[in-house]
Amino acid sequence: MKDLDINQVPAGAGEEDWTAVSMELEDEDPINMNSGPPRKKLRLTKEQSRLLEESFRQNHTLNPKQKEALAMQLKLKARQVEVWFQNRRARSKLKQTEMECEYLKRWYGSLTEQNRRLQREVEELRAMKVGPPTVISPHTCEPLLASTLTMCPRCERITANQDKGPTRAATAANPTTLSSKVPTIHPRHPSAAC
DNA sequence: CTTCCGAAGCATTTTACATCA
DNA sequence: AATGATGTAAAATGCTTCGGA
C-alpha cells in the first residue's frame, strides 16, 4: 500500500487544482475504489520524493526559478514544492538536534564518570597519612617545607591589600602598580611572573 | 535616518492518512 | 474485520527578518 503511486497525475493534467486531479483518480486509488470521500491530502509518489530529495541534497533552499522548474518537472504546484522544502528543512534540523542531544548525553556521562573517579582519588589521598605540605624548590629541585617559605614583598602587599579590600579610588589612582613591575620568580609560585 | 511593504523563511499547529495492537 | 492510539507528512497559520522604495 505504501508504495502505490496513488497521486500519479495523468499526462496533460493541469496543476491548478491537484485536489480535483486527485478526485479524478479515484478509480485508480485502491483506498477510494468503491466509495467514501475523495482524498484531500496529497501523498507524493516515490519518484516525486526521490527527485525532491535529490534536489534537497544539492540545495536546501530554492530560488523562485528553481522552485518553478522543479514543480513543473514534478507536476506539482510551486507552493507544494516550497512546503515540502520547508518541512524537509525542519526534519533535517530535528535530526541534527537529536544527534547533538545524544552527543551531549554521552559527554555528560563521561564527565560524571570522570568526576566520580576524581572524587574517589581525593578521598584516597585524604585517607593517607601525609606529612606537612611541601613544595618543590625551583632552584634546588628539593622539597621544601611550605611553612618555612616566606612571601616576597610584592605578594605580601597584594595579600594585604586583598585583606583590606582595596577601594576603587585607590585602584584608579594607581592603575599601573602591578603591570609596570619587572617580573620576578618567587618560591611559592616559581613558574609565574607577578 | 525612518517608515512602510512585500517576500521569504521559520516555528508551531492542524489535518489527513497509514500502521499497528 | 473493526477500532482506537499513535506516528508521519502535507498543509495552514502567524510571526520575524530583510531588502528595497
Side-chain angles (χ1 to χ4, degrees), chain A residues 87-164:
Chain A
N87 287 319
R88 186 64 181 80
R89 282 194 292 270
R91 286 196 290 272
S92 191
K93 188 176 179 183
L94 177 65
K95 198 172 177 181
Q96 178 71 23
T97 304
E98 282 170 354
M99 283 167 65
E100 282 170 13
C101 184
E102 278 308 306
Y103 171 76
L104 288 172
K105 271 189 203 166
R106 284 201 300 274
W107 191 23
Y108 173 76
S110 83
L111 284 176
T112 304
E113 176 55 31
Q114 192 180 351
N115 189 37
R116 242 197 312 271
R117 277 205 311 273
L118 289 169
Q119 296 273 17
R120 257 202 315 271
E121 201 177 320
V122 166
E123 289 305 317
E124 283 168 16
L125 288 171
R126 280 199 177 127
M128 286 169 66
K129 278 276 180 195
V130 292
T134 59
V135 293
I136 303 299
S137 164
H139 307 297
T140 64
C141 293
E142 293 294 323
L144 299 170
L145 265 183
S147 57
T148 65
L149 299 174
T150 56
M151 204 180 281
C152 73
R154 226 174 97 225
C155 291
E156 201 150 38
R157 211 164 49 240
I158 293 166
T159 309
N161 281 342
Q162 281 170 346
D163 288 347
K164 273 190 282 181

